[in-house]
């Protein structure tokens, strides 16, 4: 904390000033915050586990063999160096084998399977039908870009132009590393930029993609084929092994139309150039140092301002986590997540759900009909705490100690096939979309569940040795946050069964929209950096969840501690400790370039506003710190939804 600051003037600085001073951003990180620091601590712990498993070949079970040998192969940097660009050769041969337009579809399917990368024009996988959440159908999703958002291609300010110029130089650099002459590399980079810009023009803005109705366009194969006449979908599906797929959600038909036009209009040579770039770029982080460094220089240094590449062990731990995450997760959970911690987190979750029930019943602006539906949805939410009940079986993934690139390929293909295999099969409600060591949490609208991996239920976020006030302020608010996502401007469009269906009366719909507008208007005032304001249409769901989350956590904490005599500690009342506990999950140091990147891509508001933007709305905060009207942390007009 920084107690020299008046909490009523800047509560974020008051709660986090000490942390920010004591925790400068490490040279290999884009930013540094309490979550990020815990994530690195978890990684360091996993490094110990993996180092031990990599160091022996005896006495390991099947999962331990896979993660141990994967890690050993990844850490063998000399072997990776010796290979240079050679692992790209079979893929470049495949791409160079595209000699007529009809060759494109099967080649693209091979590239999608091998890389799992959405950079090759589009992404294809499985997803729940928005109208009938128990059906798993095929999803064709817009992609094809090398920059992090379509805005980078379309904005006209100096900074965007500068980044585009550096991007083209980076693409050329990768072409050179892959064997092109400098002149050809530059020419090819220009072609890539033209193709991607055309695709970006027909891509939806990030804020518009938050509206599920805009991403739901169900059609049969005929409909899909009609969008892109020159692309042979039957051949594509056959190569993927999903010719049985009958129903497709094409998330952005305008994009696929543009893709179809590109396929018709582009010269084959340019298509091959574009595919070669995305292949080399997708593989760059797992190739030799020339590729790794070039990739880092652009994607981390230029875009986020990170000075130094992460050490190899961190990159290897991350790869094991992303490719064999539930095998690694079992080892993590066994050592760090005892049943009593799970029980305590569950108890807190139930408390917060009960608070939400009471809150909904008491809402002055919602009518009885909508309330009944809201309560039904709340009751249907399932709580996933710590780790999956059933672990994923990586049996088919062959992992060899001396074949790093091959391991990456095989694990990627396994994941792509696992995802595609779900099409047309019954929905698996037990699946997790985060691995157990992850320091994060999420709500899923269609499964209607909240998910808290073991990695996020660790000190200093969730600390079983601490009293309830900071734990409810911190983790309790996060649980409330995820819960209210089911009722934010996006989540409320899905019903208790996870179907996209309007269950609101017109009056309640209007009342919600008016209250949400209060929050959107509030955050739109805040400056992120330079003259960039928060894009509060993009951050609205998160801002609404933050506000609802802390209110529910407060109610739940009051219920949990009712009748108990709570003592002040560290010179703070229990109420003050609740709020400081809240603020301290979000203490952050950040770099200007990274702040600019997040202003475009991150649906969360910057951390100072995720704290102060809530406090100004809360009479409970005003009272706890005896703030006075007119002070910065007391708003004249207060927003409240839940
Ligand atoms: Zn959220």
């Amino acid at each position: 904390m920084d107690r020299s600051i008046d909490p009523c003037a800047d509560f974020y600085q008051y709660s986090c000033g000490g942390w920010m001073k004591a925790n400068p951003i490490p040279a290999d990180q884009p930013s540094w915050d309490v979550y990020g620091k815990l994530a690195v601590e978890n990684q360091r712990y996993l490094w110990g586990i993996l180092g031990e498993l990599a160091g022996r070949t005896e006495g390991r079970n099947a999962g331990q063999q896979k993660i141990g040998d994967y890690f050993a192969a990844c850490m063998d940097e000399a072997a990776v160096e010796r290979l240079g660009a050679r692992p790209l050769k079979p893929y470049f041969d495949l791409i160079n084998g595209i000699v007529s337009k009809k060759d494109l579809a099967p080649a693209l399917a091979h590239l999608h399977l091998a890389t799992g990368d959405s950079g090759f024009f589009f992404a294809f996988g499985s997803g729940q039908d928005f109208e009938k959440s128990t059906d798993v159908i095929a999803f064709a999703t817009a992609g094809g870009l090398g920059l992090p958002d379509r805005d980078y291609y379309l904005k006209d300010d100096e900074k965007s132009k500068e980044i585009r110029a550096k991007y083209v130089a980076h693409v050329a650099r990768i072409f050179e590393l892959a064997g092109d002459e400098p002149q050809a590399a530059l020419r090819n980079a220009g072609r890539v930029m033209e193709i991607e810009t055309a695709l970006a023009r027909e891509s939806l803005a990030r804020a518009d993609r938050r509206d599920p109705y805009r991403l739901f366009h169900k059609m049969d194969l005929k409909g899909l084929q009609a969008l892109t006449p020159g692309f042979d979908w039957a051949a594509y599906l056959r190569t993927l092994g999903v010719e049985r797929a009958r129903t497709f959600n094409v998330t952005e038909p305008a994009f696929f139309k543009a893709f179809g036009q590109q396929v018709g209009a582009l010269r084959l040579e340019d298509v091959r150039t574009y595919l070669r770039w995305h292949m080399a770029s997708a593989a760059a982080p797992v190739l030799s140092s020339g590729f790794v460094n070039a990739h880092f220089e652009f994607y981390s240094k230029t875009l986020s301002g990170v000075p130094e590449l992460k050490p190899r062990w961190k990159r290897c731990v991350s790869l094991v986590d992303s490719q064999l995450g539930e095998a690694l997760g079992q080892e993590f959970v066994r050592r760090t997540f005892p049943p009593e911690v799970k029980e305590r987190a569950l108890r807190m979750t139930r408390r917060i759900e009960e608070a939400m029930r009471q809150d909904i019943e008491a809402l002055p602006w919602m009518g009885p009909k909508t309330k009944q539906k809201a309560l039904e949805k709340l009751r249907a939410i399932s709580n996933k705490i710590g780790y999956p009940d059933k672990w994923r079986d990586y049996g088919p993934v062959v992992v060899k100690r001396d074949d790093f690139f091959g391991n990456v390929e095989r694990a990627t293909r396994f994941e792509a096939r696992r995802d595609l295999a779900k099409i047309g099969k019954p929905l698996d409600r037990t699946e997790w979309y985060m691995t157990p060591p992850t320091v994060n949490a999420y709500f899923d609208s269609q499964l209607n569940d909240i998910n808290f991996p073991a990695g996020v239920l660790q000190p200093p976020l969730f600390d079983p040795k601490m009293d309830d006030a900071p734990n409810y302020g911190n983790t309790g608010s996060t649980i409330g946050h995820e819960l209210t996502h089911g009722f934010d401007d996006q989540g409320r469009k899905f019903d208790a069964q996870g179907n996209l269906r309007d269950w609101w009366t017109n009056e309640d719909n209007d009342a919600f929209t008016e209250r949400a507008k209060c929050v959107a208007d509030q955050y739109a005032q805040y400056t992120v950096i330079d003259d960039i304001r928060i894009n509060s249409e993009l951050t609205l769901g998160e801002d609404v969840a933050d506000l609802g989350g802390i209110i529910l956590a407060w109610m739940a904490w009051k219920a949990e501690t009712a009748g108990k005599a709570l003592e002040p500690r560290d010179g703070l009342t229990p109420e003050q400790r609740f709020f400081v506990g809240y603020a301290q999950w979000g203490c952050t140091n950040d770099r200007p370039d990274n702040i600019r990147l997040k202003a475009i891509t991150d649906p969360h508001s910057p951390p100072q506003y995720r704290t102060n933007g809530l406090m100004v709305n809360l009479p409970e905060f005003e009272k706890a710190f005896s703030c006075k009207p007119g002070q910065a942390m007391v708003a004249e007009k207060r927003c409240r939804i839940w």
Side-chain angles (χ1 to χ4, degrees):
M1 296 174 67
D2 179 353
R3 296 200 196 216
S4 71
I5 301 285
D6 178 353
C8 300
D10 185 345
F11 188 61
Y12 175 72
Q13 190 64 36
Y14 168 81
S15 305
C16 285
W19 191 95
M20 289 191 282
K21 212 169 152 202
N23 290 279
I25 311 174
D28 66 350
Q29 299 288 336
S31 63
W32 199 227
D33 56 28
V34 175
Y35 270 53
K37 189 175 172 180
L38 177 55
V40 170
E41 279 164 17
N42 287 352
Q43 273 194 324
R44 200 171 279 280
Y45 191 80
L46 295 170
W47 183 20
I49 295 171
L50 288 168
E52 194 272 322
L53 290 172
R56 60 187 166 101
T57 50
E58 301 289 303
R60 300 178 300 179
N61 65 31
Q64 291 170 333
Q65 177 271 319
K66 288 186 201 301
I67 59 177
D69 287 351
Y70 187 107
F71 189 70
C74 183
M75 289 301 287
D76 188 354
E77 201 163 7
V80 175
E81 270 331 290
R82 277 195 301 275
L83 283 176
R86 243 178 298 158
L88 290 175
K89 172 114 190 351
Y91 295 100
F92 281 15
D93 289 348
L94 173 81
I95 291 166
N96 290 331
I98 302 173
V99 292
S100 77
K101 291 272 163 91
K102 76 172 175 38
D103 297 334
L104 175 62
L108 206 50
H110 279 299
L111 294 168
H112 282 160
L113 275 177
T115 63
D117 197 285
S118 64
F120 302 90
F121 288 116
F122 61 88
F124 193 89
S126 66
Q128 286 171 259
D129 187 337
F130 284 13
E131 277 172 346
K132 193 171 174 229
S133 66
T134 47
D135 284 1
V136 182
I137 60 172
F139 271 54
T141 310
L145 310 181
L147 284 163
D149 191 276
R150 68 146 209 185
D151 281 8
Y152 281 97
Y153 297 87
L154 308 180
K155 281 170 68 176
D156 244 357
D157 57 290
E158 286 311 310
K159 194 82 197 165
S160 302
K161 284 183 195 162
E162 181 194 322
I163 288 176
R164 280 200 289 277
K166 287 183 175 169
Y167 176 61
V168 173
H170 166 67
V171 177
R173 172 95 193 100
I174 293 286
F175 274 128
E176 274 191 59
L177 286 166
D180 283 6
E181 296 298 330
Q183 279 307 316
L186 208 58
R187 206 171 49 239
N188 287 338
R191 296 269 190 279
V192 167
M193 193 60 179
E194 283 165 24
I195 296 175
E196 292 185 358
T197 304
L199 295 174
R201 279 206 191 94
E202 298 304 324
S203 302
L204 275 181
R206 196 170 284 259
D208 291 336
R209 287 209 307 263
R210 296 193 59 251
D211 179 354
Y213 287 100
R214 298 191 74 156
L215 296 181
F216 186 54
H217 309 279
K218 213 157 81 165
M219 52 187 82
D220 57 11
L221 185 56
K222 253 195 188 142
L224 177 59
Q225 191 58 65
L227 274 177
T228 56
F231 186 75
D232 186 351
W233 282 99
Y236 176 81
L237 298 173
R238 201 160 48 240
T239 313
L240 284 186
V242 289
E243 53 272 66
R244 67 180 185 285
R246 293 283 169 274
T247 312
F248 304 84
N249 179 27
V250 178
T251 60
E252 298 182 37
F255 172 89
F256 277 87
K257 227 172 165 173
F259 161 63
Q261 281 160 2
Q262 294 275 320
V263 170
L266 284 173
R267 299 184 311 156
L268 275 173
E269 190 193 332
D270 292 342
V271 172
R272 289 192 296 260
T273 298
Y274 168 83
L275 295 178
R276 275 199 301 126
W277 146 246
H278 278 286
M279 185 61 222
S281 183
V286 295
L287 291 173
S288 54
S289 54
F291 286 94
V292 170
N293 292 334
H295 188 86
F296 164 79
E297 283 287 325
F298 182 74
Y299 284 105
S300 294
K301 193 180 264 185
T302 300
L303 289 181
S304 289
V306 185
E308 268 177 32
L309 178 67
K310 286 191 174 72
R312 190 157 188 96
W313 73 263
K314 280 189 192 169
R315 289 179 275 139
C316 288
V317 170
S318 290
L319 272 170
V320 181
D321 181 49
S322 75
Q323 296 217 283
L324 301 166
E326 291 195 9
L328 181 60
Q330 287 182 51
E331 303 294 325
F332 181 77
V333 163
R334 184 142 40 90
R335 293 163 172 88
T336 64
F337 198 64
E340 55 275 19
V341 177
K342 179 167 173 161
E343 206 30 63
R344 191 155 165 195
L346 261 173
R347 180 189 166 87
M348 188 185 268
T349 307
R350 292 194 191 107
R351 273 273 184 223
I352 289 162
E353 283 170 336
E354 173 57 19
M356 183 142 207
R357 187 185 66 76
Q358 291 177 9
D359 179 69
I360 289 171
E361 278 175 354
L363 280 182
W365 56 267
M366 190 187 266
K369 258 177 128 166
T370 311
K371 278 186 182 179
Q372 194 199 329
K373 295 278 181 203
L375 290 168
E376 193 186 307
K377 177 164 180 171
L378 178 66
R379 272 196 302 274
I381 291 177
S382 59
N383 303 320
K384 292 182 182 163
I385 304 288
Y387 51 92
D389 292 334
K390 183 179 87 212
W391 295 104
R392 188 165 301 164
D393 176 14
Y394 295 99
V397 186
V398 176
V399 178
K400 300 178 184 168
R401 274 181 96 81
D402 58 354
D403 184 14
F404 172 51
F405 196 85
N407 294 339
V408 174
E409 274 178 322
R410 286 185 289 271
T412 306
R413 269 203 196 95
F414 167 81
E415 173 53 26
R417 291 223 160 92
R418 190 191 68 82
D419 178 59
L420 291 167
K422 294 191 278 185
I423 296 171
K425 299 270 166 56
L427 173 66
D428 176 8
R429 294 198 165 271
T430 66
E431 185 171 358
W432 283 63
Y433 305 132
M434 280 180 185
T435 65
T438 305
V439 185
N440 210 339
Y442 68 95
F443 168 78
D444 186 282
S445 287
Q446 288 182 277
L447 286 173
N448 199 25
D449 62 10
I450 55 173
N451 299 256
F452 283 81
V456 78
L457 296 168
Q458 309 281 339
L461 296 173
F462 183 65
D463 191 345
K465 288 196 285 296
M466 291 269 260
D467 54 310
D468 284 323
N471 273 326
Y472 269 82
N474 190 321
T475 297
S477 295
T478 311
I479 295 170
H481 170 108
E482 301 307 341
L483 211 52
T484 45
H485 266 318
F487 304 86
D488 72 17
D489 62 312
Q490 186 176 39
R492 76 185 186 89
K493 292 174 179 159
F494 293 86
D495 68 10
Q497 283 73 44
N499 294 318
L500 185 58
R501 202 169 61 84
D502 193 358
W503 46 271
W504 294 64
T505 65
N506 286 340
E507 303 83 76
D508 294 337
N509 184 55
D510 293 347
F512 176 91
T513 307
E514 190 192 316
R515 279 169 174 73
K517 189 175 178 303
C518 178
V519 176
D521 290 346
Q522 180 198 341
Y523 282 79
Q525 302 300 313
Y526 296 139
T527 300
V528 182
I529 191 168
D530 310 330
D531 57 352
I532 304 172
R533 299 274 176 103
I534 291 179
N535 176 2
S536 69
E537 274 175 49
L538 178 63
T539 63
L540 181 58
E542 297 298 337
D543 298 332
V544 166
D546 281 343
L547 183 57
I550 194 169
I551 289 170
L552 296 181
W554 175 271
M555 290 170 67
W557 173 59
K558 284 289 171 189
E560 175 74 29
T561 55
K564 289 185 197 163
L566 302 179
E567 298 294 319
R569 288 192 197 186
D570 305 327
L572 297 171
T573 67
E575 283 75 13
Q576 291 172 338
R577 283 163 58 71
F578 173 92
F579 287 111
V580 171
Y582 172 81
Q584 287 186 341
W585 72 259
C587 303
T588 303
N589 285 310
D590 213 339
R591 301 181 193 278
D593 285 330
N594 194 51
I595 293 172
R596 284 185 199 99
L597 169 77
K598 289 201 290 197
I600 295 175
T601 59
D602 192 348
H604 303 91
S605 291
Q608 66 272 36
Y609 303 120
R610 294 189 71 181
T611 292
N612 291 350
L614 299 190
M615 300 310 144
V616 300
N617 285 320
L618 298 171
E620 296 85 352
F621 172 82
E622 182 184 341
K623 188 162 168 245
F625 285 92
S626 306
C627 301
K628 301 277 171 296
Q631 287 188 286
M633 293 297 102
V634 183
E636 259 174 59
K637 181 190 172 198
R638 280 186 165 133
C639 304
R640 174 143 188 181
I641 299 178
W642 303 106

